[in-house]
Amino acid sequence: MSRFVVTGTGTDIGKTVFSAALTRALDGCYWKPVQSGLDGGTDAERVAGLTGLSPDRILAEVWRLETPASPHHAADLDGVRIDADALNPPACARPLVIEGAGGALVPLNHDVLYADVFARWGLPVVVCASTTLGTINHSLLTLEALRARGVPVLGVAFIGPANESSEAAIARFGKVKRLGRLPWLAPLTPDSLSHAFAAGFDPGDFA
C-alpha cells in the first residue's frame, strides 16, 4: 500500500491543506506524528474537517505538545523528550499520508531532525513549496538537504498563485518533478479543495 511523506520549505505554507487534499484523493489515512500546539485545534482535526474522513482514518499523534513551536522546544517546555526512534509509520489498510512539522530540517529533539527520520523511513517525500518571493532558495536548500540524506523525493507541490518562472527554476535546478499547484482557496471547503486538487494534480503521480 502506498505511503507518502509531506514536508515543506517552512511553516505555514499550506502543508496541512495539501495533506488533506492528498489524503482525500487517495481515499487514505492521515498521520501527523508530532503535534506542537493544541489551542485552536490541531492539524489532524483540520484534516478531518477538510476530508470528512471517519475518525479511524485520522491516526493518533505519538506526541501532543502544548506550545506551537519547534517540536524539540515544545517538548522541552512540556518536560518530555521525543524519542525519534519510536516514530514509525502506523499500519493502515489504505494509502497513508504522513505530515511532518514545519520544514524538513525541523528538530524533533536535540540530536535528530525530521529529515533524519525521513531517511530512516525511506518513503517518497512530497515537498510543499510556496510560490511567493524567496521560494527558489528555500526549495533548493530543502531538496539538497533531503538528497544529502538519501531521502527519495517524489516531487514538489506548489502552493499559492501561479509563478511560472519560480516553479520552472525549482524544477530545473532541483532536478525534480513538478507535481502540480494548489491555489489558495477562498472559501476553503472540502468540495473546493477536492476540485482544486483534481484540477492541479495527476493522480498517477501518487499511484
Side-chain angles (χ1 to χ4, degrees):
M1 194 62 68
S2 55
R3 299 184 294 176
F4 302 96
V5 173
V6 176
T7 190
T9 58
T11 192
D12 292 332
I13 62 167
K15 289 190 311 301
T16 299
V17 173
F18 174 82
S19 295
L22 180 58
T23 303
R24 185 171 182 182
L26 296 174
D27 195 22
C29 298
Y30 168 87
W31 182 52
K32 180 152 188 170
V34 180
Q35 172 67 44
S36 298
L38 302 180
D39 287 345
T42 66
D43 289 337
E45 290 167 347
R46 191 176 192 200
V47 169
L50 288 172
T51 59
L53 296 178
S54 58
D56 63 300
R57 305 264 293 277
I58 308 296
L59 307 181
E61 305 96 332
V62 180
W63 275 274
R64 290 168 57 88
L65 307 168
E66 292 289 340
T67 305
S70 174
H72 81 293
H73 182 55
D76 285 347
L77 294 175
D78 280 7
V80 299
R81 184 182 191 276
I82 295 172
D83 181 1
D85 292 334
L87 291 178
N88 295 299
C92 179
R94 297 172 178 270
L96 176 63
V97 175
I98 304 170
E99 183 187 355
L105 296 185
V106 164
L108 281 162
N109 56 42
H110 292 276
D111 302 297
V112 180
L113 304 171
Y114 250 113
D116 300 323
V117 174
F118 298 162
R120 175 165 62 82
W121 290 345
L123 300 175
V125 171
V126 176
V127 175
C128 288
S130 170
T131 58
T132 57
L133 184 65
T135 191
I136 296 175
N137 182 62
H138 297 158
S139 299
L140 295 181
L141 286 172
T142 298
L143 291 168
E144 286 197 9
L146 291 171
R147 287 176 173 149
R149 292 165 171 78
V151 176
V153 177
L154 183 69
V156 176
F158 291 98
I159 313 291
N163 186 333
E164 176 60 28
S165 177
S166 293
E167 294 173 40
I170 290 165
R172 182 172 65 254
F173 288 108
K175 298 179 175 59
V176 67
K177 182 178 180 63
R178 293 168 69 172
L179 295 171
R181 184 179 61 84
L182 190 66
W184 295 117
L185 298 171
L188 175 58
T189 66
D191 284 345
S192 69
L193 181 58
S194 181
H195 291 153
F197 187 87
F201 293 86
D202 179 358
D205 287 332
F206 305 97

